[in-house]
Coordinates of all heavy atoms in Angstrom, one line a residue:
S40 N -42.5 -31.5 37.2 CA -42.3 -31.6 35.8 C -43.1 -32.6 35.1 O -43.1 -33.8 35.6 CB -40.8 -31.8 35.6 OG -40.5 -31.8 34.2
V41 N -43.8 -32.3 34.0 CA -44.6 -33.2 33.2 C -44.4 -32.9 31.7 O -44.0 -31.8 31.4 CB -46.1 -33.2 33.5 CG1 -46.4 -33.7 34.9 CG2 -46.6 -31.8 33.4
D42 N -44.7 -33.8 30.9 CA -44.6 -33.6 29.4 C -45.9 -32.9 28.9 O -47.0 -33.4 29.2 CB -44.3 -34.9 28.7 CG -43.0 -35.5 29.1 OD1 -42.1 -34.7 29.5 OD2 -42.9 -36.7 29.1
Y43 N -45.7 -31.8 28.1 CA -46.9 -31.1 27.7 C -47.8 -31.7 26.7 O -49.0 -31.4 26.6 CB -46.5 -29.7 27.3 CG -45.5 -29.6 26.2 CD1 -45.8 -29.9 24.9 CD2 -44.2 -29.3 26.5 CE1 -44.8 -29.9 23.9 CE2 -43.2 -29.2 25.5 CZ -43.5 -29.5 24.2 OH -42.5 -29.5 23.3
A44 N -47.2 -32.7 25.9 CA -48.0 -33.3 24.8 C -49.3 -34.0 25.3 O -50.3 -33.9 24.7 CB -47.2 -34.2 24.0
A45 N -49.1 -34.7 26.4 CA -50.2 -35.5 26.9 C -51.4 -34.6 27.4 O -52.6 -34.9 27.1 CB -49.8 -36.3 28.1
I46 N -51.1 -33.4 27.9 CA -52.1 -32.5 28.4 C -52.7 -31.8 27.2 O -54.0 -31.7 27.1 CB -51.5 -31.4 29.3 CG1 -50.6 -31.9 30.4 CG2 -52.5 -30.4 29.8 CD1 -51.3 -32.5 31.6
A47 N -51.9 -31.5 26.2 CA -52.4 -30.9 24.9 C -53.4 -31.8 24.3 O -54.5 -31.4 23.8 CB -51.3 -30.5 24.0
Y48 N -53.1 -33.1 24.3 CA -53.9 -34.1 23.6 C -55.3 -34.2 24.3 O -56.3 -34.2 23.7 CB -53.2 -35.5 23.7 CG -54.0 -36.6 23.0 CD1 -54.0 -36.7 21.6 CD2 -54.6 -37.5 23.7 CE1 -54.8 -37.7 21.0 CE2 -55.4 -38.6 23.1 CZ -55.4 -38.6 21.8 OH -56.2 -39.6 21.1
K49 N -55.2 -34.3 25.6 CA -56.5 -34.4 26.4 C -57.4 -33.2 26.2 O -58.6 -33.4 25.9 CB -56.2 -34.5 27.9 CG -55.7 -35.9 28.3 CD -55.4 -35.9 29.8 CE -54.6 -37.1 30.2 NZ -54.0 -36.9 31.5
V50 N -56.8 -32.0 26.2 CA -57.6 -30.8 26.1 C -58.1 -30.7 24.6 O -59.3 -30.4 24.3 CB -56.9 -29.5 26.5 CG1 -57.6 -28.3 26.1 CG2 -56.7 -29.5 28.0
G51 N -57.2 -31.0 23.7 CA -57.6 -31.0 22.2 C -58.7 -31.9 22.0 O -59.7 -31.6 21.2
K52 N -58.7 -33.1 22.5 CA -59.8 -34.1 22.3 C -61.1 -33.6 22.9 O -62.2 -33.8 22.3 CB -59.4 -35.5 22.9 CG -58.5 -36.3 22.1 CD -59.2 -36.7 20.8 CE -58.3 -37.7 20.0 NZ -59.0 -37.9 18.7
A53 N -61.0 -33.0 24.1 CA -62.2 -32.5 24.7 C -62.8 -31.4 23.9 O -64.1 -31.3 23.7 CB -61.9 -32.0 26.1
V54 N -62.0 -30.5 23.4 CA -62.4 -29.3 22.6 C -63.1 -29.8 21.3 O -64.2 -29.3 21.0 CB -61.2 -28.4 22.3 CG1 -61.5 -27.4 21.2 CG2 -60.9 -27.6 23.6
T55 N -62.5 -30.7 20.6 CA -63.1 -31.1 19.3 C -64.3 -32.0 19.5 O -65.3 -31.9 18.8 CB -62.0 -31.8 18.5 OG1 -61.5 -32.9 19.2 CG2 -61.0 -30.9 18.0
S56 N -64.3 -32.9 20.5 CA -65.4 -33.8 20.7 C -66.6 -33.1 21.3 O -67.8 -33.5 21.0 CB -65.0 -35.1 21.5 OG -64.7 -34.7 22.8
E57 N -66.4 -32.1 22.1 CA -67.5 -31.4 22.8 C -67.8 -30.1 22.1 O -68.8 -29.4 22.5 CB -67.2 -31.2 24.2 CG -67.1 -32.5 25.0 CD -66.7 -32.3 26.5 OE1 -67.4 -31.5 27.1 OE2 -65.7 -32.9 26.9
N58 N -67.0 -29.7 21.1 CA -67.2 -28.4 20.4 C -67.3 -27.2 21.4 O -68.2 -26.4 21.4 CB -68.5 -28.5 19.6 CG -68.5 -27.3 18.6 OD1 -67.5 -26.8 18.2 ND2 -69.7 -26.9 18.1
I59 N -66.2 -27.2 22.2 CA -66.1 -26.1 23.2 C -64.7 -25.4 23.0 O -64.0 -25.8 22.1 CB -66.1 -26.7 24.7 CG1 -65.0 -27.7 24.9 CG2 -67.5 -27.3 24.9 CD1 -64.9 -28.3 26.3
L60 N -64.5 -24.4 23.8 CA -63.2 -23.7 23.7 C -62.3 -24.2 24.8 O -62.7 -24.7 25.8 CB -63.4 -22.2 23.9 CG -64.2 -21.5 22.7 CD1 -64.4 -20.0 23.0 CD2 -63.6 -21.7 21.4
G61 N -61.0 -24.1 24.6 CA -60.0 -24.5 25.5 C -58.9 -23.5 25.8 O -58.7 -22.6 25.0
I62 N -58.2 -23.7 26.9 CA -57.1 -22.9 27.2 C -55.9 -23.8 27.6 O -56.1 -24.7 28.4 CB -57.4 -22.0 28.4 CG1 -58.6 -21.0 28.0 CG2 -56.2 -21.2 28.9 CD1 -59.2 -20.3 29.2
L63 N -54.7 -23.5 27.1 CA -53.5 -24.3 27.4 C -52.4 -23.4 27.8 O -52.2 -22.4 27.1 CB -53.2 -25.2 26.2 CG -54.0 -26.5 26.0 CD1 -53.6 -27.1 24.6 CD2 -53.8 -27.5 27.1
C64 N -51.6 -23.8 28.8 CA -50.4 -23.0 29.2 C -49.2 -23.9 29.3 O -49.3 -25.0 29.9 CB -50.7 -22.3 30.5 SG -52.1 -21.3 30.6
C65 N -48.1 -23.5 28.8 CA -46.8 -24.1 29.2 C -45.8 -23.0 29.4 O -46.3 -21.8 29.6 CB -46.3 -25.1 28.1 SG -45.9 -24.4 26.5
G66 N -44.5 -23.2 29.4 CA -43.6 -22.1 29.7 C -43.7 -21.0 28.7 O -43.8 -19.8 29.1
T67 N -43.7 -21.4 27.4 CA -43.7 -20.4 26.4 C -45.1 -20.3 25.7 O -45.4 -19.3 25.0 CB -42.8 -20.7 25.2 OG1 -43.1 -22.0 24.7 CG2 -41.3 -20.7 25.7
G68 N -45.9 -21.3 25.9 CA -47.2 -21.5 25.2 C -47.0 -22.1 23.8 O -48.0 -22.5 23.1
I69 N -45.7 -22.3 23.4 CA -45.5 -22.8 22.0 C -45.5 -24.3 21.9 O -46.2 -24.8 21.1 CB -44.1 -22.3 21.5 CG1 -44.1 -20.7 21.5 CG2 -43.8 -22.8 20.2 CD1 -42.8 -20.1 21.2
G70 N -44.8 -25.0 22.8 CA -44.8 -26.5 22.7 C -46.2 -27.0 22.8 O -46.6 -27.9 22.0
I71 N -46.9 -26.5 23.7 CA -48.3 -27.1 24.0 C -49.2 -26.7 22.8 O -50.1 -27.5 22.5 CB -48.8 -26.6 25.4 CG1 -49.7 -27.7 26.0 CG2 -49.4 -25.2 25.4 CD1 -49.9 -27.6 27.5
S72 N -49.0 -25.6 22.2 CA -49.8 -25.3 21.0 C -49.5 -26.1 19.8 O -50.3 -26.6 19.1 CB -49.7 -23.8 20.7 OG -48.4 -23.5 20.2
M73 N -48.2 -26.4 19.7 CA -47.7 -27.3 18.6 C -48.4 -28.7 18.7 O -48.9 -29.3 17.8 CB -46.2 -27.5 18.6 CG -45.5 -26.3 18.1 SD -43.7 -26.6 18.2 CE -43.1 -25.2 17.3
A74 N -48.4 -29.2 19.9 CA -48.9 -30.5 20.2 C -50.4 -30.5 20.0 O -51.0 -31.4 19.4 CB -48.6 -31.0 21.6
A75 N -51.1 -29.5 20.5 CA -52.6 -29.4 20.4 C -53.0 -29.3 18.9 O -54.0 -29.9 18.5 CB -53.1 -28.2 21.2
N76 N -52.2 -28.6 18.1 CA -52.6 -28.5 16.7 C -52.4 -29.8 15.9 O -52.8 -29.8 14.8 CB -51.7 -27.3 16.1 CG -52.4 -26.0 16.3 OD1 -53.6 -25.8 16.1 ND2 -51.6 -25.0 16.7
K77 N -51.9 -30.8 16.5 CA -51.8 -32.1 15.8 C -53.1 -32.9 16.1 O -53.3 -33.9 15.4 CB -50.6 -32.9 16.4 CG -49.2 -32.3 16.1 CD -48.9 -32.2 14.6 CE -47.6 -31.5 14.4 NZ -47.4 -31.3 12.9
V78 N -53.9 -32.4 16.9 CA -55.2 -33.1 17.1 C -56.2 -32.6 16.1 O -56.3 -31.4 15.9 CB -55.8 -32.8 18.5 CG1 -57.2 -33.5 18.7 CG2 -54.8 -33.3 19.6
K79 N -56.8 -33.5 15.3 CA -57.7 -33.2 14.2 C -58.8 -32.2 14.7 O -59.5 -32.5 15.7 CB -58.3 -34.4 13.7 CG -58.5 -34.5 12.2 CD -59.1 -35.9 11.9 CE -59.2 -36.2 10.5 NZ -58.2 -35.9 9.5
G80 N -58.9 -31.1 14.0 CA -60.0 -30.2 14.4 C -59.6 -29.1 15.3 O -60.3 -28.1 15.6
V81 N -58.4 -29.2 15.9 CA -57.9 -28.1 16.8 C -57.3 -27.0 16.0 O -56.5 -27.2 15.0 CB -56.9 -28.7 17.8 CG1 -56.1 -27.5 18.5 CG2 -57.5 -29.6 18.9
R82 N -57.7 -25.8 16.4 CA -57.0 -24.6 15.9 C -56.5 -23.8 17.1 O -57.3 -23.0 17.7 CB -57.9 -23.7 15.0 CG -58.2 -24.4 13.6 CD -59.1 -23.5 12.8 NE -60.4 -23.3 13.4 CZ -61.4 -24.3 13.4 NH1 -61.2 -25.4 12.7 NH2 -62.5 -24.0 14.0
A83 N -55.3 -24.1 17.5 CA -54.7 -23.5 18.7 C -53.9 -22.3 18.4 O -53.1 -22.4 17.5 CB -53.9 -24.6 19.5
A84 N -54.1 -21.2 19.1 CA -53.3 -20.0 18.8 C -52.5 -19.6 20.1 O -53.1 -19.5 21.1 CB -54.3 -18.9 18.4
C85 N -51.2 -19.5 19.9 CA -50.4 -19.0 21.0 C -50.3 -17.5 21.0 O -49.9 -16.9 20.0 CB -49.0 -19.6 20.8 SG -47.9 -19.1 22.2
C86 N -50.9 -16.9 22.0 CA -51.0 -15.4 22.0 C -50.4 -14.8 23.2 O -50.4 -15.3 24.3 CB -52.5 -15.0 22.0 SG -53.4 -15.6 20.5
S87 N -49.8 -13.6 23.0 CA -49.4 -12.8 24.2 C -49.8 -11.3 24.0 O -49.2 -10.5 24.7 CB -47.8 -12.9 24.4 OG -47.2 -12.6 23.2
D88 N -50.7 -11.1 23.1 CA -51.2 -9.7 23.0 C -52.7 -9.8 22.7 O -53.2 -10.7 22.2 CB -50.5 -8.9 21.9 CG -50.8 -9.5 20.5 OD1 -50.2 -10.5 20.1 OD2 -51.8 -9.0 19.9
Y89 N -53.4 -8.7 23.1 CA -54.8 -8.6 23.1 C -55.4 -8.7 21.6 O -56.3 -9.4 21.4 CB -55.2 -7.3 23.7 CG -56.7 -7.1 23.9 CD1 -57.3 -7.5 25.0 CD2 -57.5 -6.5 22.9 CE1 -58.7 -7.3 25.2 CE2 -58.9 -6.3 23.0 CZ -59.5 -6.7 24.2 OH -60.8 -6.6 24.4
F90 N -54.7 -8.0 20.7 CA -55.2 -8.0 19.3 C -55.2 -9.4 18.7 O -56.2 -9.8 18.1 CB -54.3 -7.1 18.5 CG -54.7 -7.0 17.0 CD1 -55.6 -6.0 16.7 CD2 -54.1 -7.8 16.1 CE1 -56.0 -5.9 15.3 CE2 -54.5 -7.7 14.7 CZ -55.4 -6.7 14.4
S91 N -54.2 -10.2 18.9 CA -54.1 -11.5 18.4 C -55.1 -12.4 19.0 O -55.8 -13.2 18.3 CB -52.7 -12.1 18.6 OG -51.7 -11.4 18.0
A92 N -55.3 -12.3 20.3 CA -56.3 -13.2 21.0 C -57.7 -12.9 20.5 O -58.6 -13.8 20.4 CB -56.2 -12.9 22.5
K93 N -58.0 -11.6 20.2 CA -59.3 -11.3 19.6 C -59.5 -11.7 18.2 O -60.4 -12.4 17.8 CB -59.5 -9.8 19.7 CG -60.8 -9.3 19.2 CD -60.9 -7.8 19.4 CE -62.3 -7.4 18.9 NZ -62.7 -6.1 19.4
F94 N -58.5 -11.4 17.3 CA -58.6 -11.7 15.9 C -58.4 -13.2 15.6 O -58.9 -13.6 14.5 CB -57.7 -10.8 15.1 CG -58.3 -9.5 14.8 CD1 -58.3 -8.5 15.8 CD2 -59.0 -9.2 13.7 CE1 -59.0 -7.3 15.7 CE2 -59.7 -8.0 13.5 CZ -59.6 -7.0 14.5
T95 N -57.8 -13.9 16.5 CA -57.7 -15.4 16.1 C -59.1 -16.0 16.3 O -59.4 -17.1 15.7 CB -56.6 -16.1 16.9 OG1 -56.3 -17.3 16.3 CG2 -57.0 -16.3 18.4
R96 N -59.9 -15.4 17.1 CA -61.3 -15.9 17.2 C -62.1 -15.4 16.0 O -62.8 -16.1 15.3 CB -62.0 -15.4 18.5 CG -61.6 -16.1 19.7 CD -62.2 -17.5 19.8 NE -63.6 -17.5 19.7 CZ -64.3 -18.3 18.9 NH1 -63.7 -19.2 18.1 NH2 -65.6 -18.3 18.8
M97 N -62.0 -14.1 15.7 CA -62.7 -13.5 14.6 C -62.4 -14.1 13.2 O -63.3 -14.3 12.4 CB -62.5 -12.0 14.6 CG -63.2 -11.3 15.7 SD -62.7 -9.6 15.9 CE -63.4 -8.9 14.4
H98 N -61.1 -14.3 13.0 CA -60.7 -14.7 11.6 C -60.3 -16.1 11.5 O -60.5 -16.7 10.4 CB -59.5 -13.8 11.2 CG -59.8 -12.4 10.9 ND1 -58.9 -11.5 10.3 CD2 -61.0 -11.7 11.0 CE1 -59.5 -10.3 10.1 NE2 -60.8 -10.4 10.6
N99 N -59.8 -16.7 12.5 CA -59.3 -18.1 12.4 C -60.2 -19.1 13.1 O -60.0 -20.3 13.1 CB -57.9 -18.3 13.0 CG -56.9 -17.2 12.7 OD1 -56.3 -16.6 13.5 ND2 -56.8 -17.0 11.4
D100 N -61.2 -18.6 13.8 CA -62.1 -19.5 14.6 C -61.3 -20.4 15.5 O -61.6 -21.6 15.6 CB -63.1 -20.3 13.7 CG -64.3 -20.8 14.5 OD1 -64.6 -20.4 15.6 OD2 -64.9 -21.8 13.9
A101 N -60.2 -19.8 16.1 CA -59.4 -20.6 17.0 C -60.2 -21.2 18.1 O -61.1 -20.5 18.6 CB -58.3 -19.7 17.6
N102 N -59.9 -22.4 18.4 CA -60.7 -23.1 19.5 C -59.9 -23.3 20.8 O -60.5 -23.7 21.8 CB -61.5 -24.3 19.1 CG -60.6 -25.3 18.3 OD1 -59.4 -25.2 18.3 ND2 -61.2 -26.2 17.6
I103 N -58.6 -23.0 20.7 CA -57.8 -23.1 22.0 C -56.8 -21.9 22.0 O -56.1 -21.6 21.1 CB -56.9 -24.4 22.0 CG1 -57.9 -25.7 21.9 CG2 -56.1 -24.5 23.3 CD1 -57.1 -27.0 22.1
L104 N -56.9 -21.3 23.2 CA -55.9 -20.2 23.4 C -54.7 -20.7 24.2 O -54.9 -21.3 25.3 CB -56.6 -19.1 24.2 CG -55.7 -17.9 24.8 CD1 -55.2 -17.1 23.6 CD2 -56.5 -17.0 25.8
C105 N -53.5 -20.5 23.7 CA -52.3 -21.0 24.4 C -51.5 -19.8 24.9 O -51.4 -18.8 24.1 CB -51.5 -21.8 23.5 SG -52.3 -23.3 22.8
M106 N -51.0 -19.9 26.1 CA -50.2 -18.8 26.6 C -49.0 -19.3 27.4 O -49.0 -20.5 27.9 CB -51.0 -17.9 27.6 CG -52.1 -17.1 26.9 SD -53.3 -16.4 28.0 CE -54.1 -17.9 28.6
G107 N -48.0 -18.5 27.5 CA -46.8 -18.9 28.2 C -46.7 -18.4 29.6 O -46.8 -17.2 29.8
G108 N -46.6 -19.3 30.6 CA -46.5 -18.9 32.0 C -45.3 -18.1 32.3 O -45.2 -17.4 33.3
R109 N -44.3 -18.2 31.4 CA -43.0 -17.5 31.6 C -43.0 -16.3 30.6 O -41.9 -15.6 30.5 CB -41.8 -18.4 31.3 CG -41.8 -19.6 32.3 CD -40.8 -20.7 31.9 NE -40.9 -21.8 32.8 CZ -40.5 -23.1 32.5 NH1 -40.0 -23.3 31.3 NH2 -40.7 -24.0 33.3
V110 N -44.1 -16.0 30.0 CA -44.2 -14.9 29.0 C -45.2 -13.9 29.4 O -44.8 -12.7 29.4 CB -44.6 -15.5 27.6 CG1 -44.6 -14.3 26.6 CG2 -43.6 -16.5 27.1
V111 N -46.4 -14.3 29.8 CA -47.4 -13.3 30.1 C -47.7 -13.3 31.6 O -47.6 -14.4 32.3 CB -48.7 -13.5 29.3 CG1 -48.5 -13.3 27.9 CG2 -49.4 -14.8 29.7
G112 N -48.0 -12.2 32.2 CA -48.4 -12.1 33.6 C -49.8 -12.5 33.8 O -50.6 -12.6 32.8
A113 N -50.2 -12.7 35.0 CA -51.6 -13.1 35.3 C -52.6 -12.1 34.8 O -53.7 -12.4 34.3 CB -51.8 -13.4 36.8
G114 N -52.3 -10.8 35.0 CA -53.3 -9.7 34.6 C -53.5 -9.7 33.1 O -54.7 -9.7 32.6
L115 N -52.5 -9.8 32.3 CA -52.6 -9.8 30.9 C -53.3 -11.1 30.4 O -54.2 -11.1 29.6 CB -51.2 -9.7 30.2 CG -51.2 -9.8 28.7 CD1 -52.1 -8.8 28.0 CD2 -49.8 -9.7 28.1
A116 N -52.9 -12.2 31.0 CA -53.5 -13.5 30.7 C -55.1 -13.4 30.9 O -55.8 -13.9 30.0 CB -52.9 -14.6 31.5
N117 N -55.5 -12.8 31.9 CA -57.0 -12.7 32.2 C -57.6 -11.9 31.0 O -58.7 -12.2 30.6 CB -57.2 -12.0 33.5 CG -56.9 -12.9 34.7 OD1 -56.7 -14.1 34.5 ND2 -56.8 -12.3 35.9
E118 N -57.0 -10.8 30.6 CA -57.5 -10.0 29.5 C -57.6 -10.8 28.2 O -58.6 -10.7 27.5 CB -56.6 -8.8 29.2 CG -56.5 -7.8 30.4 CD -57.8 -7.0 30.5 OE1 -58.3 -6.5 29.5 OE2 -58.3 -6.9 31.7
L119 N -56.5 -11.6 28.0 CA -56.5 -12.4 26.8 C -57.6 -13.5 26.8 O -58.3 -13.7 25.8 CB -55.1 -13.1 26.6 CG -53.9 -12.2 26.5 CD1 -52.6 -13.0 26.2 CD2 -54.1 -11.1 25.5
V120 N -57.8 -14.1 28.0 CA -58.8 -15.1 28.2 C -60.2 -14.5 27.9 O -61.0 -15.0 27.2 CB -58.7 -15.7 29.6 CG1 -59.9 -16.5 30.0 CG2 -57.5 -16.6 29.7
D121 N -60.4 -13.3 28.5 CA -61.7 -12.7 28.5 C -62.1 -12.4 27.0 O -63.2 -12.7 26.6 CB -61.8 -11.4 29.3 CG -61.7 -11.7 30.8 OD1 -61.8 -12.9 31.2 OD2 -61.6 -10.7 31.5
V122 N -61.2 -11.8 26.3 CA -61.5 -11.4 24.9 C -61.6 -12.7 24.0 O -62.5 -12.7 23.1 CB -60.5 -10.4 24.3 CG1 -59.2 -11.0 23.9 CG2 -61.1 -9.7 23.1

Side-chain angles (χ1 to χ4, degrees):
S40 182
V41 289
D42 298 331
Y43 53 75
I46 309 284
Y48 181 76
K49 284 180 196 165
V50 169
K52 281 293 188 188
V54 162
T55 53
S56 64
E57 298 177 49
N58 195 24
I59 58 175
L60 295 178
I62 297 168
L63 283 169
C64 306
C65 68
T67 58
I69 296 171
I71 209 156
S72 68
M73 287 179 169
N76 274 316
K77 298 296 179 189
V78 178
K79 218 179 186 41
V81 164
R82 286 181 300 280
C85 182
C86 299
S87 53
D88 69 277
Y89 187 90
F90 182 86
S91 300
K93 179 172 181 164
F94 276 80
T95 198
R96 286 287 305 130
M97 287 169 65
H98 288 187
N99 316 127
D100 198 16
N102 48 15
I103 301 184
L104 172 65
C105 302
M106 288 168 292
R109 297 169 186 155
V110 180
V111 299
L115 174 58
N117 290 346
E118 295 287 315
L119 303 185
V120 164
D121 290 352
V122 75

